[in-house]
Amino acid sequence: MTVPDLEHALDALSARVTSLREARTAYPSELAPILDAALAELDTASELLAEARAELRKATDRRQGKKDGPQRELKLLRQVFRAFPVPVIVLDGGGVVRRVNGETSRVLGSPDGYLVGRSFPLLVDVSRRAAFRSHLTSVLQTGQPAAFETRLAHQGRTHTVQLALTRLTMPGEPQQMVAAVALPTEVQLPGPAAERPEESDGELLMAASRRQDLLARMAALLLDEEALRQPVALPRATRLLAAEWADWVVADVVRDGMPRRSAVVAPKDHPLGGLVRQVESAEPAASQVVAHVLERGSGLVHEMLDDETLFGFSAEGPLLTAMGAGSLLCVPIGAREGALTLVRGHDKPPFTLADLGVMQEVGLHLGLAVRAQRSFQRRSRAADALSASVAPRNLPDVPGYEASAIYHPGASVGAEFYDVFPVESGWGFALGGAVGKGEEAASVSAMVRGGLRVLGAWESDPDVVMRKVNEALVKQGTGMFVMAVAGFVRGRTIRLSSAGHHPAALLQQDGGVRFASGGGVPLGIAPAAETGVEEITVGMGQTLVLYSEGLVSSRNEAGEPYGEERLADVLGRCAGQSPATVVKAVEADRSAFSGGQVWDEIVVLALRGA
């Protein structure tokens, strides 16, 4: 066959293949005869390749000794290869792509030369890869061609093809090659959501906008107040990424110096259990990509995975094989505080360097959120501990009295305390608070509360206890002062010592309210304490009420304080009621007055003679 004859045959073959494509589109129900015809054309293509090779050998013999003979043969071979109307891929013995023709790039949707140097088995359906490698080895060893049906997936396109393998001896190549001819029998194009951005300015702008939108949504998600109070940042972030950016999303967080698997999100249509459990239970330290990212502190992307062992193993083999992975991306969470791994299947567009850039930002934001959440929880636990140190969990039973209290925390860590405790010859109680806010004020209040409780075990007079606590507080040099009141119970008589605190209120059985003298100077101001001391008799049915600064200083919308007169009115309506009812009524009235707002801590302690 002459070169013009070969060119004419190739043109005719190209026209017939075009007709078969049109027939497949026009008559989708008649695929069987179209497939038979396509296979016949594949045989024709193989025959043309064989004749072209024979012609080249003849040309070699005729031009032997001529300097330009081999160059013309190679030129002819390249021309035939480029013009061939079906996809042809030249592979080396390891399955690595060495050459592709234009039709291959067109069908697979990849730029010219993109596949060169990559492993062709990565395009083959996972279930047929082992069979492909066996066919490849057999063709190389025996020289006998092989053909079988499989699926190819690349750039978001899925192709069902009839793949024919033929051994080749390439001029200038020391090893034998294999020509893979792929005749598509079915093609599934990517949906709009899976299309890879092209190089047009508009589509590049849309892709950049989509990445910025992801960053904005991720920031809003991670800055949510609940994300600080609860460990929900990682699960929320992984779900968002799985919904739009990947099939699998895995988050590993470093704890005690070792990475621990924290979150795994599988494709929506993937059943729970089985593979998901295997991914969850796999050791992150055994993953090469996770170890690399944590060691280097920078992300990496594999557009086409050529090593399926990179993410570790399950009982059945490499995890990436079981996950159907085609592309992988891994970035650090924060400053090497963890790793975020995204995996896409073979039928999805591969990750790009642009995706790596935006995921690096996501990992940085996620690291900041995790650190903020840990810091918030530490402070919250400290605040809880401080609150526990200034308020008892339960009030003890005081002989001859019923007791009840209500404690309402303010907007920040406060400094109010109250307590009921055993003293040298009976029971005592105390209420007060450091002037100030925050952890330091709360710790000073806790110190005063503890001092009153401890010294009360050896002293019978609350005023002596108050003065000793004042002396200790001054020596501590905190620079803070504390308003407090303490009382020791002796039968129906209560001896009170006040250090600048609001006066206690005594609710009579007939609804009348009488306030104690109060007075004194707050603790911690001077070495010699100035206190107000008095004794009050609490008869049966009478209730002694002590309250915090936060109660009487609560304000309404007009800025008016709650005050002691309004407190007396509420107490007067509670005559004959239990202490629990009294404290609840006071707090309900205050809440209605201030519109439910609480700025400072609210403490109300009531003791009723029984």
Side-chain angles (χ1 to χ4, degrees):
M1 177 180 289
T2 64
V3 172
D5 292 337
L6 179 59
E7 292 176 348
H8 178 74
L10 285 172
D11 291 339
L13 176 60
S14 179
R16 291 195 301 272
V17 170
T18 300
S19 298
L20 287 175
R21 288 199 185 97
E22 294 173 352
R24 182 192 61 192
T25 303
Y27 307 103
S29 61
E30 301 294 333
L31 290 180
I34 295 174
L35 177 60
D36 291 339
L39 293 175
E41 295 297 351
L42 182 61
D43 292 335
T44 301
S46 299
E47 293 174 3
L48 287 176
L49 282 174
E51 293 184 13
R53 183 170 58 185
E55 184 65 28
L56 285 173
R57 287 174 178 170
K58 294 177 182 178
T60 301
D61 295 337
R62 290 194 301 267
R63 296 181 178 85
Q64 195 169 22
K66 295 183 180 179
K67 293 182 181 181
D68 59 347
Q71 285 74 16
R72 283 199 296 269
E73 293 163 10
L74 288 174
K75 183 178 180 181
L76 175 61
L77 181 60
R78 293 192 187 99
Q79 183 178 1
V80 172
F81 181 73
R82 286 196 298 266
F84 216 65
V86 292
V88 181
I89 306 98
V90 177
L91 312 173
D92 64 16
V96 175
V97 177
R98 301 299 299 271
R99 303 282 190 279
V100 294
N101 67 345
E103 184 67 7
T104 301
S105 297
R106 189 194 69 79
V107 170
L108 296 181
S110 61
D112 290 341
Y114 177 80
L115 293 174
V116 174
R118 302 180 185 272
S119 178
F120 184 76
L122 296 177
L123 305 179
V124 178
D125 187 71
V126 176
S127 63
R128 302 304 306 275
R129 286 182 187 172
F132 170 79
R133 291 189 174 100
S134 296
H135 283 300
L136 181 66
T137 302
S138 175
V139 169
L140 284 168
Q141 291 179 350
T142 66
Q144 296 297 316
F148 65 101
E149 187 176 83
T150 187
R151 293 173 70 243
L152 300 180
H154 183 56
Q155 301 288 2
R157 303 174 181 226
T158 302
H159 312 264
T160 301
V161 301
Q162 190 73 18
L163 196 63
L165 304 179
T166 304
R167 190 173 70 182
L168 292 178
T169 300
M170 299 285 289
E173 293 288 351
Q175 59 177 325
Q176 290 181 322
M177 300 289 179
V178 171
V181 181
L183 184 63
T185 59
E186 181 183 346
V187 177
Q188 179 182 345
L189 296 178
E195 289 181 359
R196 190 174 183 179
E198 300 295 338
E199 294 299 321
S200 69
D201 292 341
E203 286 168 327
L204 287 174
L205 181 62
M206 289 297 294
S209 175
R210 182 167 172 258
R211 295 185 181 99
Q212 290 301 317
D213 178 67
L214 173 68
L215 291 176
R217 294 172 61 189
M218 186 67 69
L221 180 150
L222 297 177
L223 291 175
D224 182 76
E225 185 177 350
E226 186 181 1
L228 292 175
R229 295 198 306 267
Q230 302 293 333
V232 298
L234 276 175
R236 285 183 173 183
T238 52
R239 286 196 297 269
L240 174 60
L241 294 174
E244 299 183 11
W245 285 80
D247 294 315
W248 290 81
V249 180
V250 180
D252 300 310
V253 176
V254 175
R255 299 192 186 97
D256 300 324
M258 292 294 292
R260 308 293 181 187
R261 191 130 296 169
S262 298
V264 175
V265 182
K268 291 182 179 180
D269 58 351
H270 200 284
L272 292 177
L275 179 57
V276 177
R277 297 290 179 261
Q278 293 178 34
V279 176
E280 289 176 339
S281 61
E283 287 293 336
S287 167
Q288 297 180 45
V289 290
V290 172
H292 176 90
V293 167
L294 292 178
E295 180 183 352
R296 301 290 181 86
S298 60
L300 56 84
V301 60
H302 289 271
E303 293 188 44
M304 291 183 65
L305 281 165
D306 52 11
D307 183 356
E308 295 180 330
T309 68
L310 291 175
F311 199 54
F313 296 83
S314 66
E316 287 79 21
L319 282 174
L320 292 176
T321 302
M323 296 163 74
S327 182
L328 178 145
L329 183 152
C330 187
V331 297
I333 295 175
R336 306 185 189 184
E337 298 168 63
L340 184 67
T341 306
L342 283 70
V343 176
R344 283 179 183 169
H346 294 278
D347 57 344
K348 301 292 178 60
F351 290 114
T352 64
L353 288 176
D355 295 327
L356 177 62
V358 75
M359 288 306 152
Q360 294 258 114
E361 289 291 324
V362 169
L364 178 62
H365 291 176
L366 192 53
L368 293 174
V370 170
R371 286 201 298 274
Q373 194 264 334
R374 288 175 179 170
S375 175
F376 182 87
Q377 285 193 331
R378 285 195 297 268
R379 290 180 175 273
S380 179
R381 286 192 292 268
D384 291 343
L386 285 172
S387 296
S389 69
V390 298
R393 293 183 177 179
N394 298 294
L395 292 178
D397 293 329
V398 179
Y401 291 87
E402 296 177 56
S404 184
I406 189 168
Y407 175 85
H408 204 316
S412 59
V413 177
E416 294 289 341
F417 70 89
Y418 74 97
D419 200 3
V420 177
F421 48 89
V423 295
E424 194 269 336
S425 57
W427 287 88
F429 59 85
L431 187 146
V435 178
K437 295 293 179 184
E439 297 175 3
E440 183 180 5
S443 64
V444 169
S445 290
M447 180 179 66
V448 171
R449 177 200 177 200
L452 293 173
R453 172 181 276 268
V454 171
L455 292 173
W458 286 280
E459 299 291 344
S460 59
D461 188 343
D463 195 54
V464 174
V465 172
M466 194 78 81
R467 290 175 181 277
K468 289 184 176 181
V469 169
N470 175 74
E471 183 180 349
L473 183 59
V474 171
K475 288 182 177 179
Q476 290 294 323
T478 63
M480 304 189 75
F481 58 91
V482 179
M483 296 187 299
V485 59
F488 285 9
V489 179
R490 299 288 184 271
R492 292 296 172 195
T493 301
I494 297 178
R495 182 174 175 81
L496 293 174
S497 176
S498 174
H501 201 273
H502 292 283
L506 181 63
L507 172 61
Q508 312 284 348
Q509 286 181 303
D510 60 1
V513 177
R514 179 173 65 87
F515 285 92
S517 299
V521 175
L523 304 176
I525 292 180
E530 296 182 23
T531 58
V533 182
E534 64 181 306
E535 291 187 352
I536 296 178
T537 299
V538 180
M540 290 185 62
Q542 293 182 333
T543 303
L544 186 68
V545 180
L546 298 98
Y547 49 92
S548 67
E549 165 69 18
L551 174 70
V552 293
S553 64
S554 294
R555 297 183 179 275
N556 60 15
E557 293 182 354
E560 300 169 334
Y562 185 78
E564 291 170 344
E565 290 186 8
R566 187 178 181 100
L567 172 62
D569 290 340
V570 176
L571 292 176
R573 297 194 295 269
C574 296
Q577 301 295 320
S578 68
T581 301
V582 171
V583 297
K584 290 178 181 177
V586 172
E587 168 55 13
D589 185 72
R590 183 216 61 84
S591 179
F593 175 80
S594 60
Q597 297 294 320
V598 180
W599 290 276
D600 295 327
E601 292 163 292
I602 308 298
V603 181
V604 182
L605 173 64
L607 290 93
R608 182 173 185 263

